[in-house]
Amino acid sequence: QVQLVESGGGLVQAGGSLRLSCAASGRTFSTYTMGWFRQAPGKEREFVAAVSASGGSTYYADSVKGRFTISRDNAKNTVYLQMNSLKPEDTAIYYCAAGRVATQTSRSGLYSYWGQGTQVTVSS
């Protein structure tokens, strides 16, 4: 069982930056691929980024590639999402998820554990 708690969301102007954190409970954090997903009002949840269990491999959605960076600190049971050059279309609730899946997995249904989400709003 893994429990996930996101933090770091907020309101930012277009072009600004935010760093999201996701703290995990349990001793098995380092065995899970960690992903970030987001859901905007009226839209389906979409994949943002993933990092392998070791942190050595990452995978990004085309829409965030070059702007967002996912990383993890297994000693702190935490995964991060650094978001730069934010755009209004990045506005969404951001969720972190854990799963024993390949890093290049964008399907939300394959992740086993989810946090409650943190709101990110980017104003123009």
Side-chain angles (χ1 to χ4, degrees):
Q1 187 80 7
V2 178
Q3 293 184 324
L4 305 171
V5 179
E6 302 96 335
S7 61
L11 173 64
V12 64
Q13 288 188 331
S17 298
L18 281 175
R19 188 176 83 152
L20 306 183
S21 298
C22 174
S25 66
R27 300 179 180 180
T28 60
F29 173 77
S30 62
T31 67
Y32 286 90
T33 294
M34 297 299 297
W36 284 97
F37 291 77
R38 66 187 182 186
Q39 187 166 18
K43 294 187 176 182
E44 292 186 354
R45 190 170 297 188
E46 65 172 358
F47 171 78
V48 175
V51 60
S52 63
S54 68
S57 178
T58 57
Y59 179 54
Y60 296 93
D62 288 343
S63 59
V64 307
K65 202 173 294 182
R67 299 189 298 124
F68 291 9
T69 302
I70 188 170
S71 62
R72 66 191 296 162
D73 185 337
N74 284 344
K76 296 182 178 179
N77 277 17
T78 303
V79 61
Y80 305 97
L81 186 68
Q82 177 67 44
M83 305 186 295
N84 299 328
S85 303
L86 282 162
K87 305 175 181 179
E89 52 263 43
D90 294 317
T91 295
I93 299 174
Y94 283 70
Y95 300 89
C96 70
R100 290 207 168 99
V101 298
T103 309
Q104 288 75 25
T105 298
S106 59
R107 291 173 57 188
S108 60
L110 297 180
Y111 283 79
S112 302
Y113 302 102
W114 291 83
Q116 293 300 307
T118 185
Q119 176 71 49
V120 171
T121 303
V122 184
S123 66
S124 56

